[in-house]
Amino acid sequence: MNLKNIAFEKEGKIALVTINRPKALNALNTETLAEFDNVITELEKDSEILAVVITGAGKSFVAGADISEMKDMSVIEGREFGILGNKVFRRLENLGKPVIAALNGFTLGGGCELALACDIRIASTKAKFGQPETGLGITPGFGGTQRLARTVGIGAAKELIYTAKIINANEAYRIGLVNSVFEPEVLIDEAKALANTIANNAPVAVKFCKVAINRGIQTDIDTAVAYESEVFGSCFSTEDQKEGMDAFLNKKSLVGNFKNK
């Protein structure tokens, strides 16, 4: 891949994706979103990658969408920009591999929306969060009005969005926006350790769990548990299930040795 605004690294079973526009606080412009779309395609194709960590270069995760690009957009251009961001983030949300956001600094606007499209969010003590769009005369445009409410509840989401206020990592943890908070110097190591822990489990089962959770949360409980039964049954066609249960009964460990089949 020819990437200008994103760094992409593989470390064994995990991938580290870094938004790399530190002078612009990693703001998301059209070019960066297009590159991110290409990165997702690569993540989909690479069967060796079983978990993903996303972070930002410098003191920001992503400070938002690029205001310098947005300020002169027409109605049509604004809508197209929103459609692009939503398409890319929806692809990330549906990626058949778990994605961990390591939120190292400013996680605002489009950055908060990017984090919300990930499966798990861990934060630095220096991270700041918010959806400040109403202070700029716009709404969140990359899924913020939808995923934030689904993550922290309608009341907390409306307060954050309506007020455009910025909160710190401890408050983000209190309302359930992030899973955990770490000191800056250990954040990436903690994210990688979590990614490797996940990657050491049966990959097909992890993928099925992600799909079942994501689908189920959007529907009624009866439909959701019916789908869960389907993916549960499908696991019994995999080598991972046969070997995993055999190893359990024979007091052996398969951690890190599943065949992804």
Side-chain angles (χ1 to χ4, degrees), residues 213-251:
I213 293 169
N214 285 357
R215 286 194 184 183
I217 204 70
Q218 308 298 329
T219 189
D220 64 274
I221 187 67
D222 292 319
T223 302
V225 296
Y227 183 73
E228 181 185 89
S229 296
E230 290 298 318
V231 296
F232 177 70
S234 296
C235 290
F236 288 83
S237 69
T238 68
E239 291 183 25
D240 288 349
Q241 175 268 329
K242 294 175 177 59
E243 293 184 355
M245 291 190 176
D246 182 70
F248 175 83
L249 292 173
N250 289 287
K251 296 181 171 56

PDB file of all heavy atoms in Angstrom, residues 213-251:
ATOM      1  N   ILE A 213     -22.840 -10.148  18.451  1.00  0.00           N
ATOM      2  CA  ILE A 213     -23.056  -8.977  19.309  1.00  0.00           C
ATOM      3  C   ILE A 213     -23.522  -7.792  18.479  1.00  0.00           C
ATOM      4  O   ILE A 213     -24.514  -7.121  18.812  1.00  0.00           O
ATOM      5  CB  ILE A 213     -21.771  -8.624  20.085  1.00  0.00           C
ATOM      6  CG1 ILE A 213     -21.435  -9.728  21.095  1.00  0.00           C
ATOM      7  CG2 ILE A 213     -21.931  -7.280  20.795  1.00  0.00           C
ATOM      8  CD1 ILE A 213     -20.056  -9.601  21.702  1.00  0.00           C
ATOM      9  N   ASN A 214     -22.820  -7.506  17.376  1.00  0.00           N
ATOM     10  CA  ASN A 214     -23.162  -6.342  16.561  1.00  0.00           C
ATOM     11  C   ASN A 214     -24.550  -6.452  15.950  1.00  0.00           C
ATOM     12  O   ASN A 214     -25.304  -5.467  15.903  1.00  0.00           O
ATOM     13  CB  ASN A 214     -22.117  -6.141  15.458  1.00  0.00           C
ATOM     14  CG  ASN A 214     -20.813  -5.567  15.986  1.00  0.00           C
ATOM     15  OD1 ASN A 214     -20.691  -5.267  17.172  1.00  0.00           O
ATOM     16  ND2 ASN A 214     -19.837  -5.416  15.113  1.00  0.00           N
ATOM     17  N   ARG A 215     -24.903  -7.641  15.488  1.00  0.00           N
ATOM     18  CA  ARG A 215     -26.243  -7.820  14.916  1.00  0.00           C
ATOM     19  C   ARG A 215     -27.308  -7.805  15.999  1.00  0.00           C
ATOM     20  O   ARG A 215     -28.366  -7.192  15.845  1.00  0.00           O
ATOM     21  CB  ARG A 215     -26.320  -9.137  14.141  1.00  0.00           C
ATOM     22  CG  ARG A 215     -25.617  -9.127  12.808  1.00  0.00           C
ATOM     23  CD  ARG A 215     -26.050 -10.343  11.991  1.00  0.00           C
ATOM     24  NE  ARG A 215     -25.322 -10.423  10.737  1.00  0.00           N
ATOM     25  CZ  ARG A 215     -25.550 -11.345   9.812  1.00  0.00           C
ATOM     26  NH1 ARG A 215     -26.477 -12.281  10.018  1.00  0.00           N
ATOM     27  NH2 ARG A 215     -24.854 -11.371   8.688  1.00  0.00           N
ATOM     28  N   GLY A 216     -27.019  -8.504  17.084  1.00  0.00           N
ATOM     29  CA  GLY A 216     -28.019  -8.658  18.127  1.00  0.00           C
ATOM     30  C   GLY A 216     -28.416  -7.358  18.782  1.00  0.00           C
ATOM     31  O   GLY A 216     -29.596  -7.160  19.124  1.00  0.00           O
ATOM     32  N   ILE A 217     -27.458  -6.454  18.953  1.00  0.00           N
ATOM     33  CA  ILE A 217     -27.744  -5.202  19.645  1.00  0.00           C
ATOM     34  C   ILE A 217     -28.675  -4.311  18.827  1.00  0.00           C
ATOM     35  O   ILE A 217     -29.277  -3.381  19.355  1.00  0.00           O
ATOM     36  CB  ILE A 217     -26.428  -4.462  19.968  1.00  0.00           C
ATOM     37  CG1 ILE A 217     -26.617  -3.511  21.160  1.00  0.00           C
ATOM     38  CG2 ILE A 217     -25.871  -3.731  18.778  1.00  0.00           C
ATOM     39  CD1 ILE A 217     -26.812  -4.208  22.477  1.00  0.00           C
ATOM     40  N   GLN A 218     -28.809  -4.617  17.539  1.00  0.00           N
ATOM     41  CA  GLN A 218     -29.657  -3.805  16.662  1.00  0.00           C
ATOM     42  C   GLN A 218     -31.073  -4.354  16.514  1.00  0.00           C
ATOM     43  O   GLN A 218     -31.889  -3.769  15.814  1.00  0.00           O
ATOM     44  CB  GLN A 218     -29.025  -3.722  15.256  1.00  0.00           C
ATOM     45  CG  GLN A 218     -27.579  -3.271  15.216  1.00  0.00           C
ATOM     46  CD  GLN A 218     -27.380  -1.867  15.755  1.00  0.00           C
ATOM     47  OE1 GLN A 218     -28.264  -1.032  15.628  1.00  0.00           O
ATOM     48  NE2 GLN A 218     -26.231  -1.616  16.357  1.00  0.00           N
ATOM     49  N   THR A 219     -31.350  -5.458  17.174  1.00  0.00           N
ATOM     50  CA  THR A 219     -32.636  -6.111  16.925  1.00  0.00           C
ATOM     51  C   THR A 219     -33.283  -6.550  18.238  1.00  0.00           C
ATOM     52  O   THR A 219     -32.748  -6.319  19.326  1.00  0.00           O
ATOM     53  CB  THR A 219     -32.450  -7.310  15.971  1.00  0.00           C
ATOM     54  OG1 THR A 219     -33.727  -7.811  15.583  1.00  0.00           O
ATOM     55  CG2 THR A 219     -31.625  -8.405  16.606  1.00  0.00           C
ATOM     56  N   ASP A 220     -34.425  -7.200  18.167  1.00  0.00           N
ATOM     57  CA  ASP A 220     -35.107  -7.675  19.367  1.00  0.00           C
ATOM     58  C   ASP A 220     -34.421  -8.935  19.891  1.00  0.00           C
ATOM     59  O   ASP A 220     -33.705  -9.625  19.159  1.00  0.00           O
ATOM     60  CB  ASP A 220     -36.585  -7.960  19.063  1.00  0.00           C
ATOM     61  CG  ASP A 220     -36.746  -9.086  18.058  1.00  0.00           C
ATOM     62  OD1 ASP A 220     -36.700  -8.804  16.840  1.00  0.00           O
ATOM     63  OD2 ASP A 220     -36.899 -10.246  18.482  1.00  0.00           O
ATOM     64  N   ILE A 221     -34.660  -9.242  21.149  1.00  0.00           N
ATOM     65  CA  ILE A 221     -33.952 -10.327  21.812  1.00  0.00           C
ATOM     66  C   ILE A 221     -34.248 -11.681  21.178  1.00  0.00           C
ATOM     67  O   ILE A 221     -33.358 -12.541  21.075  1.00  0.00           O
ATOM     68  CB  ILE A 221     -34.252 -10.347  23.331  1.00  0.00           C
ATOM     69  CG1 ILE A 221     -33.385 -11.374  24.060  1.00  0.00           C
ATOM     70  CG2 ILE A 221     -35.734 -10.592  23.591  1.00  0.00           C
ATOM     71  CD1 ILE A 221     -31.921 -11.046  24.075  1.00  0.00           C
ATOM     72  N   ASP A 222     -35.472 -11.918  20.715  1.00  0.00           N
ATOM     73  CA  ASP A 222     -35.801 -13.215  20.129  1.00  0.00           C
ATOM     74  C   ASP A 222     -35.024 -13.448  18.829  1.00  0.00           C
ATOM     75  O   ASP A 222     -34.495 -14.543  18.592  1.00  0.00           O
ATOM     76  CB  ASP A 222     -37.306 -13.313  19.857  1.00  0.00           C
ATOM     77  CG  ASP A 222     -38.115 -13.365  21.146  1.00  0.00           C
ATOM     78  OD1 ASP A 222     -37.677 -14.060  22.082  1.00  0.00           O
ATOM     79  OD2 ASP A 222     -39.157 -12.711  21.216  1.00  0.00           O
ATOM     80  N   THR A 223     -34.960 -12.409  17.994  1.00  0.00           N
ATOM     81  CA  THR A 223     -34.174 -12.514  16.758  1.00  0.00           C
ATOM     82  C   THR A 223     -32.693 -12.683  17.076  1.00  0.00           C
ATOM     83  O   THR A 223     -31.994 -13.471  16.437  1.00  0.00           O
ATOM     84  CB  THR A 223     -34.383 -11.263  15.890  1.00  0.00           C
ATOM     85  OG1 THR A 223     -35.770 -11.111  15.603  1.00  0.00           O
ATOM     86  CG2 THR A 223     -33.604 -11.355  14.589  1.00  0.00           C
ATOM     87  N   ALA A 224     -32.244 -11.975  18.100  1.00  0.00           N
ATOM     88  CA  ALA A 224     -30.829 -12.008  18.460  1.00  0.00           C
ATOM     89  C   ALA A 224     -30.397 -13.385  18.953  1.00  0.00           C
ATOM     90  O   ALA A 224     -29.355 -13.902  18.536  1.00  0.00           O
ATOM     91  CB  ALA A 224     -30.539 -10.948  19.520  1.00  0.00           C
ATOM     92  N   VAL A 225     -31.182 -13.984  19.843  1.00  0.00           N
ATOM     93  CA  VAL A 225     -30.766 -15.291  20.363  1.00  0.00           C
ATOM     94  C   VAL A 225     -30.921 -16.381  19.302  1.00  0.00           C
ATOM     95  O   VAL A 225     -30.186 -17.378  19.314  1.00  0.00           O
ATOM     96  CB  VAL A 225     -31.523 -15.666  21.656  1.00  0.00           C
ATOM     97  CG1 VAL A 225     -31.179 -14.697  22.774  1.00  0.00           C
ATOM     98  CG2 VAL A 225     -33.029 -15.744  21.442  1.00  0.00           C
ATOM     99  N   ALA A 226     -31.850 -16.188  18.363  1.00  0.00           N
ATOM    100  CA  ALA A 226     -31.968 -17.142  17.250  1.00  0.00           C
ATOM    101  C   ALA A 226     -30.702 -17.103  16.404  1.00  0.00           C
ATOM    102  O   ALA A 226     -30.181 -18.150  15.988  1.00  0.00           O
ATOM    103  CB  ALA A 226     -33.193 -16.826  16.398  1.00  0.00           C
ATOM    104  N   TYR A 227     -30.187 -15.887  16.161  1.00  0.00           N
ATOM    105  CA  TYR A 227     -28.937 -15.778  15.390  1.00  0.00           C
ATOM    106  C   TYR A 227     -27.770 -16.351  16.185  1.00  0.00           C
ATOM    107  O   TYR A 227     -26.897 -17.018  15.625  1.00  0.00           O
ATOM    108  CB  TYR A 227     -28.659 -14.323  15.008  1.00  0.00           C
ATOM    109  CG  TYR A 227     -27.420 -14.208  14.153  1.00  0.00           C
ATOM    110  CD1 TYR A 227     -27.445 -14.624  12.818  1.00  0.00           C
ATOM    111  CD2 TYR A 227     -26.223 -13.755  14.676  1.00  0.00           C
ATOM    112  CE1 TYR A 227     -26.302 -14.574  12.042  1.00  0.00           C
ATOM    113  CE2 TYR A 227     -25.076 -13.691  13.907  1.00  0.00           C
ATOM    114  CZ  TYR A 227     -25.125 -14.112  12.586  1.00  0.00           C
ATOM    115  OH  TYR A 227     -23.989 -14.067  11.815  1.00  0.00           O
ATOM    116  N   GLU A 228     -27.770 -16.114  17.498  1.00  0.00           N
ATOM    117  CA  GLU A 228     -26.704 -16.683  18.322  1.00  0.00           C
ATOM    118  C   GLU A 228     -26.669 -18.203  18.202  1.00  0.00           C
ATOM    119  O   GLU A 228     -25.597 -18.812  18.121  1.00  0.00           O
ATOM    120  CB  GLU A 228     -26.886 -16.276  19.780  1.00  0.00           C
ATOM    121  CG  GLU A 228     -25.796 -16.805  20.693  1.00  0.00           C
ATOM    122  CD  GLU A 228     -26.048 -16.487  22.149  1.00  0.00           C
ATOM    123  OE1 GLU A 228     -26.712 -17.301  22.827  1.00  0.00           O
ATOM    124  OE2 GLU A 228     -25.581 -15.421  22.606  1.00  0.00           O
ATOM    125  N   SER A 229     -27.851 -18.827  18.180  1.00  0.00           N
ATOM    126  CA  SER A 229     -27.908 -20.276  18.030  1.00  0.00           C
ATOM    127  C   SER A 229     -27.307 -20.726  16.706  1.00  0.00           C
ATOM    128  O   SER A 229     -26.660 -21.781  16.628  1.00  0.00           O
ATOM    129  CB  SER A 229     -29.364 -20.753  18.131  1.00  0.00           C
ATOM    130  OG  SER A 229     -29.899 -20.491  19.410  1.00  0.00           O
ATOM    131  N   GLU A 230     -27.502 -19.908  15.672  1.00  0.00           N
ATOM    132  CA  GLU A 230     -26.948 -20.242  14.355  1.00  0.00           C
ATOM    133  C   GLU A 230     -25.425 -20.219  14.376  1.00  0.00           C
ATOM    134  O   GLU A 230     -24.771 -21.153  13.897  1.00  0.00           O
ATOM    135  CB  GLU A 230     -27.483 -19.267  13.298  1.00  0.00           C
ATOM    136  CG  GLU A 230     -28.949 -19.440  12.970  1.00  0.00           C
ATOM    137  CD  GLU A 230     -29.252 -20.800  12.385  1.00  0.00           C
ATOM    138  OE1 GLU A 230     -28.462 -21.279  11.545  1.00  0.00           O
ATOM    139  OE2 GLU A 230     -30.262 -21.410  12.797  1.00  0.00           O
ATOM    140  N   VAL A 231     -24.841 -19.152  14.915  1.00  0.00           N
ATOM    141  CA  VAL A 231     -23.375 -19.079  14.919  1.00  0.00           C
ATOM    142  C   VAL A 231     -22.789 -20.091  15.893  1.00  0.00           C
ATOM    143  O   VAL A 231     -21.703 -20.646  15.648  1.00  0.00           O
ATOM    144  CB  VAL A 231     -22.864 -17.651  15.223  1.00  0.00           C
ATOM    145  CG1 VAL A 231     -23.285 -16.694  14.126  1.00  0.00           C
ATOM    146  CG2 VAL A 231     -23.323 -17.150  16.582  1.00  0.00           C
ATOM    147  N   PHE A 232     -23.496 -20.346  17.002  1.00  0.00           N
ATOM    148  CA  PHE A 232     -23.054 -21.384  17.951  1.00  0.00           C
ATOM    149  C   PHE A 232     -22.968 -22.727  17.241  1.00  0.00           C
ATOM    150  O   PHE A 232     -21.961 -23.442  17.333  1.00  0.00           O
ATOM    151  CB  PHE A 232     -24.028 -21.437  19.119  1.00  0.00           C
ATOM    152  CG  PHE A 232     -23.722 -22.502  20.135  1.00  0.00           C
ATOM    153  CD1 PHE A 232     -22.625 -22.402  20.969  1.00  0.00           C
ATOM    154  CD2 PHE A 232     -24.567 -23.609  20.275  1.00  0.00           C
ATOM    155  CE1 PHE A 232     -22.358 -23.385  21.914  1.00  0.00           C
ATOM    156  CE2 PHE A 232     -24.307 -24.591  21.217  1.00  0.00           C
ATOM    157  CZ  PHE A 232     -23.190 -24.486  22.044  1.00  0.00           C
ATOM    158  N   GLY A 233     -24.005 -23.077  16.488  1.00  0.00           N
ATOM    159  CA  GLY A 233     -24.003 -24.333  15.752  1.00  0.00           C
ATOM    160  C   GLY A 233     -22.915 -24.383  14.701  1.00  0.00           C
ATOM    161  O   GLY A 233     -22.261 -25.416  14.507  1.00  0.00           O
ATOM    162  N   SER A 234     -22.685 -23.257  14.029  1.00  0.00           N
ATOM    163  CA  SER A 234     -21.664 -23.205  12.976  1.00  0.00           C
ATOM    164  C   SER A 234     -20.275 -23.499  13.520  1.00  0.00           C
ATOM    165  O   SER A 234     -19.407 -24.025  12.803  1.00  0.00           O
ATOM    166  CB  SER A 234     -21.675 -21.832  12.302  1.00  0.00           C
ATOM    167  OG  SER A 234     -22.904 -21.605  11.636  1.00  0.00           O
ATOM    168  N   CYS A 235     -20.030 -23.149  14.778  1.00  0.00           N
ATOM    169  CA  CYS A 235     -18.714 -23.414  15.373  1.00  0.00           C
ATOM    170  C   CYS A 235     -18.369 -24.902  15.350  1.00  0.00           C
ATOM    171  O   CYS A 235     -17.184 -25.270  15.300  1.00  0.00           O
ATOM    172  CB  CYS A 235     -18.674 -22.905  16.816  1.00  0.00           C
ATOM    173  SG  CYS A 235     -18.692 -21.116  17.002  1.00  0.00           S
ATOM    174  N   PHE A 236     -19.390 -25.762  15.373  1.00  0.00           N
ATOM    175  CA  PHE A 236     -19.136 -27.197  15.439  1.00  0.00           C
ATOM    176  C   PHE A 236     -18.701 -27.787  14.101  1.00  0.00           C
ATOM    177  O   PHE A 236     -18.419 -28.983  14.004  1.00  0.00           O
ATOM    178  CB  PHE A 236     -20.380 -27.917  15.979  1.00  0.00           C
ATOM    179  CG  PHE A 236     -20.599 -27.665  17.445  1.00  0.00           C
ATOM    180  CD1 PHE A 236     -21.255 -26.514  17.863  1.00  0.00           C
ATOM    181  CD2 PHE A 236     -20.123 -28.538  18.398  1.00  0.00           C
ATOM    182  CE1 PHE A 236     -21.456 -26.260  19.210  1.00  0.00           C
ATOM    183  CE2 PHE A 236     -20.307 -28.292  19.747  1.00  0.00           C
ATOM    184  CZ  PHE A 236     -20.970 -27.143  20.166  1.00  0.00           C
ATOM    185  N   SER A 237     -18.609 -26.939  13.084  1.00  0.00           N
ATOM    186  CA  SER A 237     -18.060 -27.370  11.795  1.00  0.00           C
ATOM    187  C   SER A 237     -16.582 -27.014  11.677  1.00  0.00           C
ATOM    188  O   SER A 237     -15.957 -27.288  10.647  1.00  0.00           O
ATOM    189  CB  SER A 237     -18.834 -26.713  10.645  1.00  0.00           C
ATOM    190  OG  SER A 237     -18.581 -25.319  10.608  1.00  0.00           O
ATOM    191  N   THR A 238     -16.000 -26.403  12.706  1.00  0.00           N
ATOM    192  CA  THR A 238     -14.622 -25.922  12.622  1.00  0.00           C
ATOM    193  C   THR A 238     -13.636 -26.857  13.297  1.00  0.00           C
ATOM    194  O   THR A 238     -13.976 -27.554  14.261  1.00  0.00           O
ATOM    195  CB  THR A 238     -14.492 -24.528  13.268  1.00  0.00           C
ATOM    196  OG1 THR A 238     -14.696 -24.639  14.685  1.00  0.00           O
ATOM    197  CG2 THR A 238     -15.508 -23.547  12.691  1.00  0.00           C
ATOM    198  N   GLU A 239     -12.415 -26.843  12.798  1.00  0.00           N
ATOM    199  CA  GLU A 239     -11.341 -27.595  13.445  1.00  0.00           C
ATOM    200  C   GLU A 239     -11.035 -27.020  14.821  1.00  0.00           C
ATOM    201  O   GLU A 239     -10.674 -27.762  15.752  1.00  0.00           O
ATOM    202  CB  GLU A 239     -10.086 -27.564  12.572  1.00  0.00           C
ATOM    203  CG  GLU A 239     -10.200 -28.342  11.277  1.00  0.00           C
ATOM    204  CD  GLU A 239      -8.904 -28.334  10.494  1.00  0.00           C
ATOM    205  OE1 GLU A 239      -7.835 -28.171  11.124  1.00  0.00           O
ATOM    206  OE2 GLU A 239      -8.951 -28.470   9.262  1.00  0.00           O
ATOM    207  N   ASP A 240     -11.175 -25.695  14.946  1.00  0.00           N
ATOM    208  CA  ASP A 240     -10.887 -25.054  16.227  1.00  0.00           C
ATOM    209  C   ASP A 240     -11.747 -25.640  17.342  1.00  0.00           C
ATOM    210  O   ASP A 240     -11.267 -25.889  18.454  1.00  0.00           O
ATOM    211  CB  ASP A 240     -11.144 -23.545  16.136  1.00  0.00           C
ATOM    212  CG  ASP A 240     -10.088 -22.820  15.313  1.00  0.00           C
ATOM    213  OD1 ASP A 240      -9.062 -23.443  14.988  1.00  0.00           O
ATOM    214  OD2 ASP A 240     -10.292 -21.634  15.014  1.00  0.00           O
ATOM    215  N   GLN A 241     -13.025 -25.863  17.072  1.00  0.00           N
ATOM    216  CA  GLN A 241     -13.921 -26.420  18.094  1.00  0.00           C
ATOM    217  C   GLN A 241     -13.491 -27.833  18.490  1.00  0.00           C
ATOM    218  O   GLN A 241     -13.409 -28.167  19.671  1.00  0.00           O
ATOM    219  CB  GLN A 241     -15.374 -26.416  17.589  1.00  0.00           C
ATOM    220  CG  GLN A 241     -16.365 -27.088  18.539  1.00  0.00           C
ATOM    221  CD  GLN A 241     -16.559 -28.580  18.240  1.00  0.00           C
ATOM    222  OE1 GLN A 241     -16.456 -29.005  17.091  1.00  0.00           O
ATOM    223  NE2 GLN A 241     -16.810 -29.363  19.281  1.00  0.00           N
ATOM    224  N   LYS A 242     -13.211 -28.644  17.476  1.00  0.00           N
ATOM    225  CA  LYS A 242     -12.833 -30.032  17.752  1.00  0.00           C
ATOM    226  C   LYS A 242     -11.534 -30.094  18.541  1.00  0.00           C
ATOM    227  O   LYS A 242     -11.425 -30.817  19.544  1.00  0.00           O
ATOM    228  CB  LYS A 242     -12.730 -30.802  16.439  1.00  0.00           C
ATOM    229  CG  LYS A 242     -14.071 -30.961  15.724  1.00  0.00           C
ATOM    230  CD  LYS A 242     -13.903 -31.614  14.368  1.00  0.00           C
ATOM    231  CE  LYS A 242     -15.256 -31.834  13.699  1.00  0.00           C
ATOM    232  NZ  LYS A 242     -16.013 -30.577  13.502  1.00  0.00           N
ATOM    233  N   GLU A 243     -10.545 -29.329  18.101  1.00  0.00           N
ATOM    234  CA  GLU A 243      -9.257 -29.364  18.783  1.00  0.00           C
ATOM    235  C   GLU A 243      -9.332 -28.692  20.147  1.00  0.00           C
ATOM    236  O   GLU A 243      -8.699 -29.136  21.110  1.00  0.00           O
ATOM    237  CB  GLU A 243      -8.197 -28.689  17.909  1.00  0.00           C
ATOM    238  CG  GLU A 243      -7.894 -29.458  16.624  1.00  0.00           C
ATOM    239  CD  GLU A 243      -6.774 -28.824  15.822  1.00  0.00           C
ATOM    240  OE1 GLU A 243      -6.317 -27.738  16.221  1.00  0.00           O
ATOM    241  OE2 GLU A 243      -6.371 -29.416  14.809  1.00  0.00           O
ATOM    242  N   GLY A 244     -10.099 -27.600  20.239  1.00  0.00           N
ATOM    243  CA  GLY A 244     -10.209 -26.885  21.505  1.00  0.00           C
ATOM    244  C   GLY A 244     -10.846 -27.732  22.590  1.00  0.00           C
ATOM    245  O   GLY A 244     -10.370 -27.773  23.738  1.00  0.00           O
ATOM    246  N   MET A 245     -11.926 -28.414  22.260  1.00  0.00           N
ATOM    247  CA  MET A 245     -12.604 -29.236  23.261  1.00  0.00           C
ATOM    248  C   MET A 245     -11.806 -30.487  23.595  1.00  0.00           C
ATOM    249  O   MET A 245     -11.785 -30.934  24.753  1.00  0.00           O
ATOM    250  CB  MET A 245     -14.010 -29.580  22.778  1.00  0.00           C
ATOM    251  CG  MET A 245     -14.929 -28.374  22.756  1.00  0.00           C
ATOM    252  SD  MET A 245     -16.663 -28.797  22.467  1.00  0.00           S
ATOM    253  CE  MET A 245     -17.407 -27.164  22.646  1.00  0.00           C
ATOM    254  N   ASP A 246     -11.133 -31.037  22.593  1.00  0.00           N
ATOM    255  CA  ASP A 246     -10.282 -32.200  22.847  1.00  0.00           C
ATOM    256  C   ASP A 246      -9.131 -31.822  23.783  1.00  0.00           C
ATOM    257  O   ASP A 246      -8.806 -32.568  24.712  1.00  0.00           O
ATOM    258  CB  ASP A 246      -9.726 -32.741  21.531  1.00  0.00           C
ATOM    259  CG  ASP A 246      -8.862 -33.975  21.735  1.00  0.00           C
ATOM    260  OD1 ASP A 246      -9.414 -35.039  22.074  1.00  0.00           O
ATOM    261  OD2 ASP A 246      -7.628 -33.867  21.568  1.00  0.00           O
ATOM    262  N   ALA A 247      -8.546 -30.637  23.542  1.00  0.00           N
ATOM    263  CA  ALA A 247      -7.453 -30.177  24.397  1.00  0.00           C
ATOM    264  C   ALA A 247      -7.939 -29.957  25.829  1.00  0.00           C
ATOM    265  O   ALA A 247      -7.254 -30.297  26.792  1.00  0.00           O
ATOM    266  CB  ALA A 247      -6.863 -28.885  23.835  1.00  0.00           C
ATOM    267  N   PHE A 248      -9.144 -29.401  25.975  1.00  0.00           N
ATOM    268  CA  PHE A 248      -9.709 -29.172  27.315  1.00  0.00           C
ATOM    269  C   PHE A 248      -9.889 -30.498  28.058  1.00  0.00           C
ATOM    270  O   PHE A 248      -9.500 -30.625  29.225  1.00  0.00           O
ATOM    271  CB  PHE A 248     -11.048 -28.442  27.197  1.00  0.00           C
ATOM    272  CG  PHE A 248     -11.750 -28.266  28.515  1.00  0.00           C
ATOM    273  CD1 PHE A 248     -11.417 -27.212  29.359  1.00  0.00           C
ATOM    274  CD2 PHE A 248     -12.729 -29.160  28.928  1.00  0.00           C
ATOM    275  CE1 PHE A 248     -12.057 -27.053  30.584  1.00  0.00           C
ATOM    276  CE2 PHE A 248     -13.374 -29.012  30.146  1.00  0.00           C
ATOM    277  CZ  PHE A 248     -13.032 -27.954  30.976  1.00  0.00           C
ATOM    278  N   LEU A 249     -10.467 -31.473  27.386  1.00  0.00           N
ATOM    279  CA  LEU A 249     -10.739 -32.753  28.039  1.00  0.00           C
ATOM    280  C   LEU A 249      -9.458 -33.498  28.385  1.00  0.00           C
ATOM    281  O   LEU A 249      -9.421 -34.293  29.327  1.00  0.00           O
ATOM    282  CB  LEU A 249     -11.623 -33.617  27.138  1.00  0.00           C
ATOM    283  CG  LEU A 249     -13.058 -33.108  26.956  1.00  0.00           C
ATOM    284  CD1 LEU A 249     -13.780 -33.943  25.903  1.00  0.00           C
ATOM    285  CD2 LEU A 249     -13.816 -33.135  28.285  1.00  0.00           C
ATOM    286  N   ASN A 250      -8.396 -33.238  27.600  1.00  0.00           N
ATOM    287  CA  ASN A 250      -7.115 -33.902  27.843  1.00  0.00           C
ATOM    288  C   ASN A 250      -6.127 -33.017  28.598  1.00  0.00           C
ATOM    289  O   ASN A 250      -4.932 -33.284  28.636  1.00  0.00           O
ATOM    290  CB  ASN A 250      -6.507 -34.352  26.515  1.00  0.00           C
ATOM    291  CG  ASN A 250      -7.270 -35.520  25.911  1.00  0.00           C
ATOM    292  OD1 ASN A 250      -7.179 -36.644  26.391  1.00  0.00           O
ATOM    293  ND2 ASN A 250      -8.047 -35.243  24.870  1.00  0.00           N
ATOM    294  N   LYS A 251      -6.691 -31.912  29.172  1.00  0.00           N
ATOM    295  CA  LYS A 251      -5.893 -31.003  30.007  1.00  0.00           C
ATOM    296  C   LYS A 251      -4.658 -30.481  29.273  1.00  0.00           C
ATOM    297  O   LYS A 251      -3.560 -30.406  29.824  1.00  0.00           O
ATOM    298  CB  LYS A 251      -5.515 -31.689  31.320  1.00  0.00           C
ATOM    299  CG  LYS A 251      -6.723 -32.026  32.193  1.00  0.00           C
ATOM    300  CD  LYS A 251      -6.297 -32.677  33.501  1.00  0.00           C
ATOM    301  CE  LYS A 251      -7.474 -32.812  34.457  1.00  0.00           C
ATOM    302  NZ  LYS A 251      -8.619 -33.563  33.895  1.00  0.00           N
TER     303      LYS A 251
END
